[in-house]
Amino acid sequence: MKLLGHAYTLERAGTFVVLTEEDRRLFSSVTSGAFSTIVGTESSVRMANTIVTTETLRAIISIEQQLKAKHFDEQMIERAIKSMIPGIVDAHITDTHGGFARSIMERWENENDGK
């Protein structure tokens, strides 16, 4: 069994990955369905964790650098990252972006159509 995600997020969004559907049913039964479980492999979990961690850190560092270049103070940078990113992620996963985010995504789609 392998945990997909950071242990801190286990209670709200973590997912245990097990090798078989039988393992998934057993784990769910033993834990009274308290945790999300899916069938997968250790290598797929390692790959997903590596990609997500790398790209998330890349995004956070880029955001920090851009805001510092615009002379935002450390407290504002920290609060913006901590408060905005989770909401944007949730909206993206649930396809509930507001108009501002949708306009950014549409602009990207239009830019990609021209290439």
Side-chain angles (χ1 to χ4, degrees), residues 26-76:
L26 177 61
F27 183 78
S28 184
S29 173
V30 168
T31 61
S32 300
F35 303 104
S36 172
T37 57
I38 58 175
V39 175
T41 64
E42 183 175 352
S43 63
S44 64
V45 171
R46 186 176 10 259
M47 184 183 304
N49 284 342
T50 299
I51 292 168
V52 172
T53 300
T54 300
E55 296 306 319
T56 301
L57 287 171
R58 190 183 321 272
I60 291 169
I61 290 167
S62 174
I63 292 166
E64 288 173 334
Q65 289 171 343
Q66 291 179 60
L67 292 175
K68 284 178 184 176
K70 303 268 187 213
H71 308 291
F72 283 83
D73 67 40
E74 292 293 328
Q75 185 179 23
M76 176 72 89

Side-chain angles (χ1 to χ4, degrees), residues 4-44:
L4 182 63
H6 191 280
Y8 179 75
T9 64
L10 178 59
E11 67 182 329
R12 65 179 175 81
T15 297
F16 283 96
V17 179
V18 295
L19 291 175
T20 67
E21 181 60 31
E22 182 180 334
D23 291 340
R24 194 194 67 71
R25 283 193 301 271
L26 177 61
F27 183 78
S28 184
S29 173
V30 168
T31 61
S32 300
F35 303 104
S36 172
T37 57
I38 58 175
V39 175
T41 64
E42 183 175 352
S43 63
S44 64

